[in-house]
PDB file of all heavy atoms in Angstrom:
ATOM      1  N   PRO A 442      10.623 -11.934   6.181  1.00 98.00           N
ATOM      2  CA  PRO A 442       9.342 -12.437   6.726  1.00 98.00           C
ATOM      3  C   PRO A 442       8.334 -11.400   6.846  1.00 98.00           C
ATOM      4  O   PRO A 442       8.638 -10.043   6.842  1.00 98.00           O
ATOM      5  CB  PRO A 442       9.665 -12.758   8.195  1.00 98.00           C
ATOM      6  CG  PRO A 442      11.050 -12.280   8.438  1.00 98.00           C
ATOM      7  CD  PRO A 442      11.696 -11.870   7.242  1.00 98.00           C
ATOM      8  N   VAL A 443       7.037 -11.749   6.710  1.00 98.00           N
ATOM      9  CA  VAL A 443       5.971 -10.758   6.828  1.00 98.00           C
ATOM     10  C   VAL A 443       4.888 -11.281   7.706  1.00 98.00           C
ATOM     11  O   VAL A 443       4.746 -12.524   7.827  1.00 98.00           O
ATOM     12  CB  VAL A 443       5.143 -10.815   5.384  1.00 98.00           C
ATOM     13  CG1 VAL A 443       3.986  -9.873   5.426  1.00 98.00           C
ATOM     14  CG2 VAL A 443       6.159 -10.347   4.272  1.00 98.00           C
ATOM     15  N   ILE A 444       4.341 -10.338   8.534  1.00 98.00           N
ATOM     16  CA  ILE A 444       3.179 -10.689   9.297  1.00 98.00           C
ATOM     17  C   ILE A 444       1.956  -9.915   8.896  1.00 98.00           C
ATOM     18  O   ILE A 444       2.117  -8.717   8.686  1.00 98.00           O
ATOM     19  CB  ILE A 444       3.654 -10.411  10.919  1.00 98.00           C
ATOM     20  CG1 ILE A 444       2.487 -10.752  11.781  1.00 98.00           C
ATOM     21  CG2 ILE A 444       4.022  -9.012  11.182  1.00 98.00           C
ATOM     22  CD1 ILE A 444       2.859 -10.811  13.215  1.00 98.00           C
ATOM     23  N   ALA A 445       0.979 -10.565   8.739  1.00 99.00           N
ATOM     24  CA  ALA A 445      -0.371  -9.919   8.247  1.00 99.00           C
ATOM     25  C   ALA A 445      -1.292  -9.959   9.435  1.00 99.00           C
ATOM     26  O   ALA A 445      -1.749 -11.017   9.837  1.00 99.00           O
ATOM     27  CB  ALA A 445      -0.870 -10.450   7.089  1.00 99.00           C
ATOM     28  N   ILE A 446      -1.574  -8.689   9.932  1.00 99.00           N
ATOM     29  CA  ILE A 446      -2.450  -8.593  11.136  1.00 99.00           C
ATOM     30  C   ILE A 446      -3.813  -8.147  10.446  1.00 99.00           C
ATOM     31  O   ILE A 446      -4.077  -7.065   9.995  1.00 99.00           O
ATOM     32  CB  ILE A 446      -2.010  -7.434  12.081  1.00 99.00           C
ATOM     33  CG1 ILE A 446      -0.565  -7.940  12.615  1.00 99.00           C
ATOM     34  CG2 ILE A 446      -2.916  -7.379  13.236  1.00 99.00           C
ATOM     35  CD1 ILE A 446       0.033  -6.779  13.503  1.00 99.00           C
ATOM     36  N   GLU A 447      -4.801  -9.146  10.491  1.00 98.00           N
ATOM     37  CA  GLU A 447      -5.995  -9.061   9.581  1.00 98.00           C
ATOM     38  C   GLU A 447      -7.227  -9.117  10.446  1.00 98.00           C
ATOM     39  O   GLU A 447      -7.296  -9.963  11.333  1.00 98.00           O
ATOM     40  CB  GLU A 447      -6.047 -10.230   8.740  1.00 98.00           C
ATOM     41  CG  GLU A 447      -4.825 -10.415   7.871  1.00 98.00           C
ATOM     42  CD  GLU A 447      -5.037  -9.574   6.514  1.00 98.00           C
ATOM     43  OE1 GLU A 447      -6.163  -9.647   5.818  1.00 98.00           O
ATOM     44  OE2 GLU A 447      -4.066  -8.774   6.221  1.00 98.00           O
ATOM     45  N   GLY A 448      -8.187  -8.168  10.349  1.00 98.00           N
ATOM     46  CA  GLY A 448      -9.516  -8.448  10.777  1.00 98.00           C
ATOM     47  C   GLY A 448     -10.150  -9.683  10.213  1.00 98.00           C
ATOM     48  O   GLY A 448      -9.695 -10.020   9.058  1.00 98.00           O
ATOM     49  N   ASP A 449     -11.034 -10.428  10.900  1.00 98.00           N
ATOM     50  CA  ASP A 449     -11.527 -11.613  10.287  1.00 98.00           C
ATOM     51  C   ASP A 449     -12.442 -11.268   9.041  1.00 98.00           C
ATOM     52  O   ASP A 449     -12.372 -12.053   8.053  1.00 98.00           O
ATOM     53  CB  ASP A 449     -12.424 -12.420  11.263  1.00 98.00           C
ATOM     54  CG  ASP A 449     -13.419 -11.612  12.078  1.00 98.00           C
ATOM     55  OD1 ASP A 449     -13.428 -10.358  12.021  1.00 98.00           O
ATOM     56  OD2 ASP A 449     -14.307 -12.177  12.675  1.00 98.00           O
ATOM     57  N   SER A 450     -13.020 -10.170   8.966  1.00 98.00           N
ATOM     58  CA  SER A 450     -13.770  -9.741   7.762  1.00 98.00           C
ATOM     59  C   SER A 450     -12.641  -9.452   6.673  1.00 98.00           C
ATOM     60  O   SER A 450     -12.619  -9.947   5.466  1.00 98.00           O
ATOM     61  CB  SER A 450     -14.607  -8.696   7.929  1.00 98.00           C
ATOM     62  OG  SER A 450     -14.930  -7.976   6.680  1.00 98.00           O
ATOM     63  N   ALA A 451     -11.651  -8.592   6.938  1.00 98.00           N
ATOM     64  CA  ALA A 451     -10.602  -8.154   6.041  1.00 98.00           C
ATOM     65  C   ALA A 451      -9.994  -9.433   5.441  1.00 98.00           C
ATOM     66  O   ALA A 451      -9.725  -9.428   4.193  1.00 98.00           O
ATOM     67  CB  ALA A 451      -9.559  -7.330   6.762  1.00 98.00           C
ATOM     68  N   PHE A 452      -9.638 -10.496   6.214  1.00 98.00           N
ATOM     69  CA  PHE A 452      -8.913 -11.590   5.742  1.00 98.00           C
ATOM     70  C   PHE A 452      -9.736 -12.250   4.679  1.00 98.00           C
ATOM     71  O   PHE A 452      -9.156 -12.677   3.806  1.00 98.00           O
ATOM     72  CB  PHE A 452      -8.606 -12.615   6.897  1.00 98.00           C
ATOM     73  CG  PHE A 452      -8.099 -13.970   6.513  1.00 98.00           C
ATOM     74  CD1 PHE A 452      -6.934 -14.018   5.987  1.00 98.00           C
ATOM     75  CD2 PHE A 452      -8.910 -14.934   6.612  1.00 98.00           C
ATOM     76  CE1 PHE A 452      -6.387 -15.267   5.554  1.00 98.00           C
ATOM     77  CE2 PHE A 452      -8.448 -16.214   6.214  1.00 98.00           C
ATOM     78  CZ  PHE A 452      -7.168 -16.305   5.663  1.00 98.00           C
ATOM     79  N   GLY A 453     -11.086 -12.333   4.962  1.00 98.00           N
ATOM     80  CA  GLY A 453     -11.922 -13.124   3.898  1.00 98.00           C
ATOM     81  C   GLY A 453     -11.792 -12.622   2.507  1.00 98.00           C
ATOM     82  O   GLY A 453     -11.909 -13.419   1.544  1.00 98.00           O
ATOM     83  N   PHE A 454     -11.417 -11.315   2.362  1.00 98.00           N
ATOM     84  CA  PHE A 454     -11.435 -10.734   0.968  1.00 98.00           C
ATOM     85  C   PHE A 454     -10.316 -11.399   0.119  1.00 98.00           C
ATOM     86  O   PHE A 454     -10.452 -11.416  -1.070  1.00 98.00           O
ATOM     87  CB  PHE A 454     -11.216  -9.242   1.002  1.00 98.00           C
ATOM     88  CG  PHE A 454     -12.502  -8.540   1.529  1.00 98.00           C
ATOM     89  CD1 PHE A 454     -12.799  -8.378   2.748  1.00 98.00           C
ATOM     90  CD2 PHE A 454     -13.207  -7.766   0.570  1.00 98.00           C
ATOM     91  CE1 PHE A 454     -13.870  -7.766   3.252  1.00 98.00           C
ATOM     92  CE2 PHE A 454     -14.197  -7.052   0.970  1.00 98.00           C
ATOM     93  CZ  PHE A 454     -14.616  -6.967   2.235  1.00 98.00           C
ATOM     94  N   SER A 455      -9.224 -11.952   0.738  1.00 98.00           N
ATOM     95  CA  SER A 455      -8.160 -12.430  -0.097  1.00 98.00           C
ATOM     96  C   SER A 455      -7.657 -13.787   0.541  1.00 98.00           C
ATOM     97  O   SER A 455      -6.670 -14.286   0.150  1.00 98.00           O
ATOM     98  CB  SER A 455      -6.958 -11.486  -0.185  1.00 98.00           C
ATOM     99  OG  SER A 455      -6.297 -11.136   1.083  1.00 98.00           O
TER     100      SER A 455
END
Side-chain angles (χ1 to χ4, degrees):
V443 179
I444 181 168
I446 306 174
E447 303 273 309
D449 50 348
S450 164
F452 171 69
F454 287 76
S455 65

